[in-house]
């Protein structure tokens, strides 16, 4: 993909992150658990006042992951592939809503829809964190992309592990709710910062033929100066 197209994809990703984050935040704030309690996904249940707003925000975040994958340079194909998987998981998460309270085992009885929704959400968040780590530590990237990814990855990885552990040991509650929100904020922040960095279009390097012509012109001008000085002597 040309650099100009990648820059456009970066701008689209940044816009989608902002739109999605605002929509989800509004929906969660008006949801059954309020801004701080319960799972974020509870804002998308059918009884929620802003369920459609929540789903719109989730789909916007899926579009952001797609655009971010398109904006990444070819050297970061692995990270782009992870983001594509994250986008797919996010779409499923938004399309398949959980039941009231979003119950999950081992502490609550869950419906098949609950399990599908939770599994898709976990996959989406997990592969996004892995994409951060790939950009920051595994594949070659620009200094700015590496720096943002390393900071976000160092924060997100232990928080993601704590969320997983909390789901298995304490279940639904304020602890998991707070950790989930921290993880989502870090993921959104990384996506926005990365998209803005990729949105900056860099000047194209001169083509090899152009450089050859430029060097030849310099040689001719130098020869003319030498010849002129010799004639004057």
């Amino acid at each position: 993909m040309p650099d100009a197209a990648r820059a456009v994809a970066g701008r689209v990703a940044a816009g989608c992150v902002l739109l999605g984050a605002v929509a989800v935040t509004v929906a969660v704030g008006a949801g059954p658990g309020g801004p701080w309690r319960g799972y974020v996904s509870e804002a998308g249940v059918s009884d929620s006042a802003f369920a459609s707003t929540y789903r719109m925000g989730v789909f916007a975040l899926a579009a952001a992951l797609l655009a971010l994958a398109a904006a990444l340079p070819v050297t970061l194909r692995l990270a782009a592939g992870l983001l594509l998987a994250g986008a797919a998981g996010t779409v499923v998460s938004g399309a398949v809503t959980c039941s009231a309270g979003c119950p999950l085992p081992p502490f609550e009885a869950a419906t098949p829809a609950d399990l599908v929704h939770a599994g898709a959400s976990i996959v989406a968040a997990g592969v996004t964190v892995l994409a951060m780590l790939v950009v920051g530590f595994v594949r070659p990237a620009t200094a700015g992309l590496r720096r943002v990814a390393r900071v976000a990855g160092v924060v997100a990885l232990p928080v993601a592990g704590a969320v997983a552990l909390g789901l298995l040991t304490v279940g639904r509650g304020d602890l998991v709710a707070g950790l989930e929100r921290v993880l989502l904020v870090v993921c959104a922040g990384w996506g926005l910062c990365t998209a803005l960095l990729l949105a900056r279009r860099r000047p194209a390097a001169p083509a090899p033929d152009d450089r050859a012509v430029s060097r030849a012109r310099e040689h001719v001008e130098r020869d003319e100066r030498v010849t002129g000085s010799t004639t004057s002597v």
Side-chain angles (χ1 to χ4, degrees):
M1 181 183 291
D3 288 342
R6 293 185 189 279
V8 171
R11 296 186 191 106
V12 171
C16 288
V17 170
L18 289 173
L19 174 62
V22 170
V24 170
T25 300
V26 169
V28 170
W36 310 116
R37 293 179 177 273
Y39 296 125
V40 169
S41 297
E42 292 181 44
V45 301
S46 57
D47 294 338
S48 176
F50 286 82
S52 58
T53 302
Y54 173 81
R55 285 193 290 273
M56 180 189 72
V58 170
F59 292 139
L61 292 173
L65 291 175
L66 283 173
L68 198 57
L72 287 175
V74 293
T75 54
L76 296 172
R77 288 193 194 95
L78 178 56
L82 290 168
L83 291 176
L84 290 176
T90 305
V91 168
V92 174
S93 175
V96 181
T97 58
C98 57
S99 57
C102 295
L104 287 175
F107 299 99
E108 299 170 295
T111 66
D114 293 328
L115 297 176
V116 170
H117 173 85
S121 301
I122 291 170
V123 167
V127 296
T128 301
V129 173
L130 288 177
M132 295 178 199
L133 298 175
V134 168
V135 174
F137 297 98
V138 179
R139 294 291 180 181
T142 63
L145 292 177
R146 283 198 308 273
R147 186 161 50 247
V148 170
R150 287 176 179 177
V151 171
V154 166
V155 176
L157 185 60
V159 174
V163 170
L165 184 62
L167 289 172
L168 294 174
T169 56
V170 299
R172 185 176 185 274
D174 292 345
L175 175 63
V176 175
L179 291 171
E180 181 191 27
R181 284 160 173 76
V182 171
L183 178 60
L184 294 176
V185 167
V186 173
C187 288
W190 171 74
L192 178 60
C193 292
T194 301
L196 291 174
L197 288 172
L198 294 169
R200 297 185 303 179
R201 183 180 177 185
R202 294 172 176 78
D209 290 344
D210 294 339
R211 290 195 293 266
V213 170
S214 178
R215 285 196 297 270
R217 186 179 295 113
E218 291 174 0
H219 287 310
V220 170
E221 291 174 353
R222 186 173 58 205
D223 291 342
E224 289 176 348
R225 286 195 298 270
V226 171
T227 301
S229 58
T230 303
T231 303
S232 61
V233 172

